[in-house]
Amino acid sequence: STVLAHSLSRIVKMAFALKTACPTVAAKASRKTAVVCRAGKYDEELVKTAKTIATPGRGILAMDESNATCGKRLDSIGVENTEDNRRAYRELLLSAPGLGKYVSGAILFEETLFQNTKSGKSMVAVLNEQGIVPGIKVDKGLAPLANSNGEQWCMGLDGLDKRSAEYYKAGARFAKWRSVVSIPSGPSTIAVRDCAYGLARYAAISQAAGLVPIVEPEVLLDGDHDINRTLEVAEAVWAETFKYLADNKVLFEGILLKPAMVTPGAECPNRASPTQVADYTLKLLRRRVPPAVPGIMFLSGGQSELEATLNLNEMNKSPNPWHVSFSYARALQNSVLKTWQGKPENVGKAQEALLKRAKANSDAQLGKYDPATEGSTEAAKSLYEKGYKY
């Protein structure tokens, strides 16, 4: 009986201790799980800007190539890479009459954001008159990723807050940061994680400065892998990316995505039809992208002008929870360059070539593109370049 009494006494003491400890434990748990509500200075403007860019029948003209890459484009038509020639070409693009009907945003290189036209009007003013939102490339390019299989990481976070504030003052309202993932090189876990984390930090910094971030983890076309492998890697990349976007409290309603379409590698012998590309790409989006995101602006990634338009059109034949559109560079500009040839007398025809491609992709965004309107085989020529650099 003495043993029993002693045991009961111990049980009572333990129960009392537990009872008195519970409020403290609960309070600690409450503090740990407290929800932090964001109310950013620019939140309303970010949502409005993103919705403006993601309007029906419109997409993005990507013309943010570095001066070196722009020089390669000019060299392909025998034009010297000078600031004046770069200005002339970019002015040709932005001043195309009626471009704003098909294009809602234009991504600029830093030189162009602060540049004036030949007549002295700022490039930003030209865009605003067209009803096109000015954007800016903010990353500082790719560098080798140490201890990896030839993979790369994206530079540019240092000083991004100050640069973003200056870009906003100059008239930019959205930003772009391009990071890449290579399937032939792995991709390694560290490369995918670095890509996702860098994009998330950039997105948070951009939103704090009033710029809608375009989130672009490009799964490169390089390689001979099939479409199933592309889907597998893309799912992993986007899962990691959205995890870090959430960790950094990025406002999903105030971002845009710029993914690559899910296609086989450029060197894969088994090519995919537009129907198959659309099926796999939409499968990726439904599995990984929250419906809060207003717009998916696909990159062309070396597809031919025609291929990029056909694939986009196929994806828009049925309703989607997001605005599914384009953010094309080469797939909008290839015909323009070849028509212009650096000659002032060709500006009008070159602008017509741009408007033709812009309208084709506008129709594709609405699911109403008719390839019979092409009229030539030029748009079907591949634009793929292995190891392409911006």
Side-chain angles (χ1 to χ4, degrees):
S1 61
T2 304
V3 174
L4 179 61
H6 182 67
S7 298
L8 286 171
S9 175
R10 288 182 62 188
I11 291 170
V12 170
K13 287 179 181 179
M14 289 172 63
F16 180 78
L18 181 62
K19 181 179 179 181
T20 55
C22 279
T24 305
V25 172
K28 287 181 179 179
S30 177
R31 285 197 295 270
K32 286 180 181 178
T33 59
V35 176
V36 179
C37 298
R38 63 162 287 142
K41 174 182 176 182
Y42 293 102
D43 282 4
E44 287 187 16
E45 183 181 347
L46 292 169
V47 172
K48 183 180 178 181
T49 299
K51 286 183 177 178
T52 297
I53 295 172
T55 48
R58 299 208 294 171
I60 294 174
L61 169 61
M63 46 179 291
D64 56 311
E65 301 91 347
S66 67
N67 289 343
T69 301
C70 187
K72 291 179 183 177
R73 301 270 178 89
L74 295 176
D75 185 62
S76 71
I77 58 170
V79 174
E80 187 182 358
N81 183 19
T82 65
E83 182 179 351
D84 193 54
N85 285 336
R86 292 193 299 271
R87 189 269 317 150
Y89 177 58
R90 289 162 174 165
E91 181 178 342
L92 177 161
L93 296 172
L94 299 182
S95 62
L99 183 63
K101 184 178 178 181
Y102 313 117
V103 170
S104 54
I107 310 172
L108 310 178
F109 190 63
E110 188 175 82
E111 178 182 73
T112 315
L113 181 68
F114 296 100
Q115 207 166 36
N116 292 333
T117 64
K118 190 175 182 179
S119 65
K121 183 183 292 186
S122 74
M123 294 288 194
V124 169
V126 173
L127 284 170
N128 288 332
E129 288 173 3
Q130 292 255 43
I132 299 173
V133 181
I136 178 70
K137 168 188 165 73
V138 299
D139 68 76
K140 292 295 183 181
L142 301 170
L145 181 65
N147 300 327
S148 72
N149 183 30
E151 294 171 290
Q152 297 173 301
W153 68 285
C154 189
M155 304 179 292
L157 288 177
D158 288 352
L160 180 58
D161 55 341
K162 294 181 177 61
R163 288 190 288 120
S164 295
E166 289 302 313
Y167 297 148
Y168 185 90
K169 287 179 184 178
R173 289 298 178 268
F174 72 99
K176 174 209 161 179
W177 175 289
R178 174 184 179 257
S179 199
V180 300
V181 171
S182 169
I183 293 179
S185 296
S188 66
T189 300
I190 192 63
V192 172
R193 186 173 299 157
D194 182 84
C195 170
Y197 179 77
L199 283 164
R201 290 304 307 143
Y202 136 77
I205 293 167
S206 294
Q207 288 190 338
L211 303 176
V212 170
I214 289 183
V215 178
E216 182 183 358
E218 180 178 355
V219 178
L220 297 170
L221 272 179
D222 300 346
D224 59 3
H225 52 276
D226 65 16
I227 194 168
N228 289 296
R229 176 60 177 155
T230 305
L231 177 62
E232 179 186 17
V233 172
E235 285 182 342
V237 170
W238 280 106
E240 197 85 352
T241 299
F242 271 104
K243 188 265 185 194
Y244 281 108
L245 288 171
D247 285 352
N248 282 271
K249 299 180 176 62
V250 171
L251 177 68
F252 287 178
E253 292 85 351
I255 68 175
L256 296 167
L257 305 187
K258 186 172 179 177
M261 296 178 192
V262 180
T263 67
E267 297 167 84
C268 176
N270 300 319
R271 306 314 299 161
S273 68
T275 301
Q276 191 178 17
V277 170
D279 178 55
Y280 272 74
T281 305
L282 291 175
K283 187 184 298 182
L284 165 69
L285 298 182
R286 292 182 187 122
R287 288 175 175 176
R288 291 293 181 268
V289 182
V293 175
I296 317 289
M297 322 301 284
F298 282 102
L299 58 91
S300 55
Q303 299 179 78
S304 71
E305 292 177 327
L306 180 60
E307 188 179 11
T309 306
L310 285 169
N311 290 337
L312 179 63
N313 186 66
E314 197 67 32
M315 280 186 272
N316 282 299
K317 285 186 175 180
S318 57
N320 293 301
W322 329 266
H323 175 78
V324 175
S325 192
F326 60 92
S327 178
Y328 294 165
R330 286 171 283 175
L332 279 175
Q333 296 181 46
N334 189 56
S335 297
V336 182
L337 265 174
K338 291 182 177 180
T339 304
W340 178 48
Q341 293 293 316
K343 299 176 181 178
E345 62 269 25
N346 290 342
V347 167
K349 289 183 178 179
Q351 290 179 330
E352 287 175 7
L354 173 61
L355 293 172
K356 179 179 179 180
R357 289 258 51 86
K359 183 183 185 307
N361 287 292
S362 170
D363 290 343
Q365 197 289 309
L366 299 170
K368 298 178 179 178
Y369 170 67
D370 181 5
T373 60
E374 288 296 339
S376 75
T377 59
E378 184 64 32
K381 293 182 179 178
S382 174
L383 302 175
Y384 170 71
E385 294 178 37
K386 189 172 183 177
Y388 179 75
K389 293 182 175 61
Y390 270 82

